[in-house]
Amino acid sequence: MYEFPPFFTRQPNEDTWRLQLKLWQDVVYKWCLANNEWRLTPSADVFTNKRIDRTLNIDAATHVLTEMCRKGVAEKLENNETFLVYKHTPADLATELRQWARETGHETSVLTFYELSEGELPSLEKFINADDITLKRVAEVLERRKEGVAMKEEGECVGIKITL
Amino acid sequence: MWIVPALTPGGALVLEAQERVLYEAEVTRVHAMNQYRQGTVVLTSHRFVYIDKVKASSQSLETAVSGLKNIYFIKQAAIKQNVAKYITEENLGKLYVEIASGSNEDWSCAICFSVNRSTLDVCELCGVKREFDLSDSDLSASINLEPEDLPWKPSTRRGQCPGCMHVNHAMLRNCEMCGTELLQRESDYNELYLNLEFKKVNDCQTLYDLLQKTTTKPELNVSESQSSLYGIQKLRIGTKSSVDRSNELLKDINSFQQFKERASEISSLAQQITSTHHDILLGASEPADVAKQIATILVRDNILAEHGGLLTLHECFAIYNERRAIGLISPGLFTQSLKLLDKLGLPVQIRQLESGLKVIESRSHNVQIRQKLLQWIALLSAGAGHSCGVSARDVSEQFKFGIHIALEELQAAEKDGDLCRDEHISGLKFFSNDFRLFRTRNNKISSTA
């Protein structure tokens, strides 16, 4: 797909464009995974294929990233054009964390972001190297589900407390 | 305004001097009386022309040289004395020229009464020489006051009685000898004379000499003039030339017959050519007839097939008119007749493409084109081993479409999802829509996973 020149042109046909959009999201995620780089701008390297000399223009790239945000697999960071692509979506993580807490008896205990991202807790590989913002979103999801509370320190979210 | 006198045929320029000229003539003849005027004097072998510097069209004068008489060259000293009030320069030369009365008017031929211009010496129509009625003008000659010390004597005395030739005093109305009524002043107005004043005496001298020469050699003038022959001599020459002419006519008729033979050869050749190629369409001026002819050409002569099954209307118009060769039809009639294609049940039809471009195509042709196009692109991709794009130009070359039609077809296919585009600096190319392939593949993956 990445070698297909029309892939780098926004297709005027709406049906084709929808297919193209899906494929692009897939490509972006895989690229992030391969490069372990989760912050992207619309002019990121992923949108250019030097081998076939094609670049997806910025409008279309923004469209792709915005679409990802809409689906909850990415997030637009404030004050700039950078997008954060979630390696794992906050919703998935929240579910997993909740389940883990239930299975391992960590309910009602406080888990700091540091503990989670440094891998100090067993069998929570998905949280290793996780972004602070992602963790914050996990906390927010848990709060929304009334399964946890975000722990704050000096106005900054630093941990999660899983509730019953 | 600047007027340059054109030479009459056979005339030759004798002298041209741009000098100061003084008109002294009667009011009826020349508008400017007793006024200094500046201008150019041109003397040709036949004419004496004065062109006024300021009012060339109204104040200029043209007269035949033959009409000039009594030319006097006035010495400088005399001028100084007599015309002193006009003179500012010291070394002026002055020329007094009398012009025969009537010489500046159109004259009628004594034989055929045709009216000729004053500059012609010979009747234009019959070639008879003009008769100068000099006796009259002599009779009515100058009553002008002439200075006593001018070195000439007028030809006829003022106040001379026409009956007894007694010379009366100028102011008398009747002859003091016989009582005959003397000529009225009005009649004197026929007399016209010029006072030419030159800045340089030399110019004056040369003009004087030349005038003398030209006027005293009338035979030379006649031989130079346009139609110098008249009378029996002319008739003789006339018959000779008519014989020549009939000879030439015969020659012409012969060559014309040769030409006719050639022409018939050419026309038979042309018929052969047309019969071997296409019929030249003739005559049809009714929309229905035109429509039928269009359909006939497009289908029978495989025009549509040659152009990939589609023709834009202007291409079709051009082809049709090319076939007609003569009596071309107007675009209006063309569009009118195209409207009748469906009504008459002809095998071609008009289709409007996405952009509004109208094309003419065979009725059975519509679907085939798309399939051919897609097959061709697939074939190209298969041959190259990867997806291949085609531009509108490629398509137009492959299928002999017009380039607009090619683009229209590609866009239509894109709209239906059969193709997708690649916009690049190198141009717009269309690829087969592989997004669909990838989707099915992804679906398979996701379903298996």
Side-chain angles (χ1 to χ4, degrees):
Chain A
M1 187 77 248
Y2 204 57
E3 308 294 320
F4 186 52
F7 190 50
F8 293 86
T9 301
R10 190 201 190 284
Q11 295 301 320
N13 182 328
E14 281 305 317
D15 294 336
T16 315
W17 169 236
R18 239 170 278 133
L19 294 174
Q20 195 186 5
L21 206 54
K22 267 183 209 159
L23 291 163
W24 261 114
Q25 292 171 28
D26 198 30
V27 165
V28 168
Y29 179 77
K30 281 176 182 159
W31 184 85
C32 288
L33 199 62
N35 292 277
N36 198 22
E37 206 178 311
W38 300 93
R39 286 164 195 252
L40 290 179
T41 62
S43 52
D45 289 345
V46 65
F47 297 112
T48 299
N49 184 345
K50 280 180 183 158
R51 248 184 323 225
I52 58 165
D53 188 25
R54 295 290 190 282
T55 300
L56 189 68
N57 69 31
I58 292 195
D59 284 348
T62 312
H63 204 291
V64 170
L65 291 171
T66 313
E67 182 67 17
M68 290 174 79
C69 294
R70 204 175 61 77
K71 285 193 175 169
V73 296
E75 179 187 345
K76 186 172 184 176
L77 299 180
E78 283 161 27
N79 301 330
N80 55 30
E81 287 292 301
T82 313
F83 290 79
L84 174 71
V85 178
Y86 303 130
K87 193 174 182 180
H88 307 286
T89 61
D92 288 351
L93 289 177
T95 312
E96 185 161 334
L97 190 62
R98 171 79 191 141
Q99 200 173 346
W100 172 83
R102 192 179 291 146
E103 285 168 2
T104 57
H106 276 81
E107 285 163 335
T108 73
S109 65
V110 174
L111 305 167
T112 64
F113 288 174
Y114 180 81
E115 283 174 320
L116 289 167
S117 61
E118 289 302 311
E120 290 185 359
L121 301 166
S123 55
L124 276 179
E125 289 81 10
K126 279 189 184 176
F127 287 84
I128 294 170
N129 292 328
D131 207 286
D132 273 3
I133 297 169
T134 315
L135 294 175
K136 207 168 116 189
R137 297 283 173 267
V138 174
E140 281 167 14
V141 171
L142 286 173
E143 274 189 333
R144 231 178 292 134
R145 292 182 186 165
K146 304 209 186 319
E147 295 172 342
V149 180
M151 304 300 290
K152 289 185 180 165
E153 190 179 283
E154 293 167 7
E156 281 292 305
C157 199
V158 291
I160 306 167
K161 181 186 178 186
I162 313 289
T163 56
L164 287 168
Chain B
M1 196 168 159
W2 190 247
I3 289 183
V4 180
L7 284 175
T8 50
L13 193 66
V14 178
L15 172 103
E16 187 173 342
Q18 184 166 6
E19 290 306 327
R20 197 177 205 182
V21 177
L22 172 67
Y23 266 160
E24 269 190 9
E26 297 298 338
V27 192
T28 47
R29 291 301 177 125
V30 182
H31 298 298
M33 182 186 175
N34 290 338
Q35 275 180 356
Y36 274 115
R37 297 229 155 254
Q38 284 202 347
T40 312
V41 170
V42 180
L43 178 68
T44 71
S45 51
H46 289 79
R47 290 177 303 156
F48 176 81
V49 183
Y50 162 70
I51 302 159
D52 197 86
K53 198 174 182 182
V54 186
K55 294 179 178 174
S57 54
S58 58
Q59 302 276 351
S60 297
L61 178 87
E62 180 199 52
T63 180
V65 167
S66 53
L68 300 177
K69 52 174 188 163
N70 296 340
I71 301 155
Y72 300 103
F73 180 37
I74 309 167
K75 298 295 173 196
Q76 196 182 333
I79 301 161
K80 262 190 164 177
Q81 263 187 349
N82 297 292
V83 212
K85 57 175 178 178
Y86 296 129
I87 296 169
T88 50
E89 286 95 345
E90 281 275 303
N91 55 343
L92 287 172
K94 195 171 175 184
L95 214 58
Y96 176 87
V97 181
E98 277 183 23
I99 299 167
S101 72
S103 65
N104 206 26
E105 291 171 344
D106 294 343
W107 56 279
S108 58
C109 175
I111 306 300
C112 67
F113 301 108
S114 120
V115 177
N116 292 288
R117 289 203 55 201
S118 60
T119 45
L120 289 173
D121 289 335
V122 178
C123 176
E124 240 175 345
L125 216 59
C126 58
V128 172
K129 199 176 182 187
R130 175 185 185 180
E131 287 175 21
F132 280 109
D133 204 357
L134 291 177
S135 58
D136 271 357
S137 67
D138 277 346
L139 207 73
S140 62
S142 50
I143 314 177
N144 300 299
L145 283 160
E146 82 266 16
E148 281 81 10
D149 52 355
L150 284 182
W152 74 79
K153 292 278 179 281
S155 57
T156 319
R157 284 266 177 111
R158 199 174 347 103
Q160 194 171 31
C161 174
C164 62
M165 306 304 279
H166 175 74
V167 178
N168 294 285
H169 189 269
M171 300 308 287
L172 284 173
R173 293 180 70 86
N174 293 73
C175 176
E176 59 184 352
M177 296 299 285
C178 58
T180 313
E181 196 179 356
L182 294 174
L183 292 164
Q184 292 302 305
R185 274 193 171 270
E186 278 74 15
S187 64
D188 298 333
Y189 291 163
N190 287 337
E191 191 62 30
L192 176 71
Y193 67 92
L194 287 171
N195 264 340
L196 303 173
E197 216 170 73
F198 291 84
K199 275 182 188 163
K200 290 173 190 167
V201 189
N202 288 345
D203 285 341
C204 187
Q205 184 71 52
T206 29
L207 181 62
Y208 176 67
D209 292 344
L210 288 165
L211 273 173
Q212 289 290 359
K213 245 187 255 171
T214 43
T215 47
T216 51
K217 285 180 187 172
E219 65 279 1
L220 183 73
N221 290 340
V222 169
S223 69
E224 272 179 10
S225 83
Q226 188 177 0
S227 50
S228 54
L229 298 167
Y230 48 89
I232 294 173
Q233 202 182 358
K234 175 148 191 178
L235 282 176
R236 208 178 287 153
I237 289 180
T239 47
K240 196 190 166 204
S241 68
S242 76
V243 169
D244 287 349
R245 230 174 288 145
S246 59
N247 282 339
E248 271 176 34
L249 202 61
L250 271 173
K251 242 187 260 175
D252 288 347
I253 289 170
N254 284 337
S255 60
F256 176 68
Q257 272 171 347
Q258 284 178 356
F259 171 74
K260 254 174 77 180
E261 285 164 17
R262 287 281 166 79
S264 63
E265 278 174 30
I266 288 169
S267 66
S268 63
L269 196 66
Q271 275 172 358
Q272 279 179 6
I273 290 168
T274 49
S275 60
T276 49
H277 285 76
H278 308 290
D279 306 331
I280 291 177
L281 303 164
L282 288 173
S285 57
E286 288 299 312
D289 297 342
V290 173
K292 279 175 195 163
Q293 284 184 342
I294 290 170
T296 315
I297 309 174
L298 292 185
V299 177
R300 188 199 59 193
D301 295 346
N302 279 331
I303 297 285
L304 272 177
E306 279 170 24
H307 289 79
L310 286 179
L311 268 181
T312 55
L313 293 194
H314 60 261
E315 281 171 327
C316 181
F317 179 65
I319 288 169
Y320 179 69
N321 263 341
E322 197 184 316
R323 285 299 169 83
R324 271 181 85 103
I326 48 167
L328 305 182
I329 63 162
S330 67
L333 179 59
F334 181 70
T335 41
Q336 261 186 350
S337 52
L338 288 186
K339 281 176 195 159
L340 296 174
L341 287 177
D342 286 332
K343 201 175 161 192
L344 295 169
L346 294 167
V348 289
Q349 65 180 3
I350 302 288
R351 181 159 64 98
Q352 190 157 15
L353 299 181
E354 296 299 328
S355 65
L357 182 73
K358 283 184 180 171
V359 293
I360 190 163
E361 62 178 8
S362 137
R363 285 192 193 279
S364 57
H365 220 280
N366 195 356
V367 194
Q368 298 172 11
I369 293 168
R370 175 75 56 82
Q371 285 172 351
K372 271 193 206 164
L373 186 63
L374 295 177
Q375 275 170 8
W376 179 57
I377 293 172
L379 206 66
L380 280 179
S381 303
H386 56 85
S387 299
C388 269
V390 292
S391 64
R393 193 189 162 80
D394 299 334
V395 174
S396 93
E397 277 171 11
Q398 172 71 18
F399 293 101
K400 307 286 184 290
F401 292 155
I403 193 133
H404 294 293
I405 295 181
L407 193 62
E408 288 285 343
E409 277 298 328
L410 286 168
Q411 282 170 351
E414 183 192 36
K415 202 182 173 208
D416 294 346
D418 293 331
L419 295 178
C420 59
R421 65 170 61 193
D422 167 38
E423 281 165 10
H424 191 237
I425 303 166
S426 61
L428 177 62
K429 284 192 170 183
F430 288 87
F431 288 71
S432 63
N433 192 351
D434 290 356
F435 291 111
R436 292 191 296 200
L437 294 178
F438 290 111
R439 180 191 60 180
T440 49
R441 209 178 291 162
N442 278 4
N443 285 352
K444 269 177 204 164
I445 292 164
S446 57
S447 61
T448 48

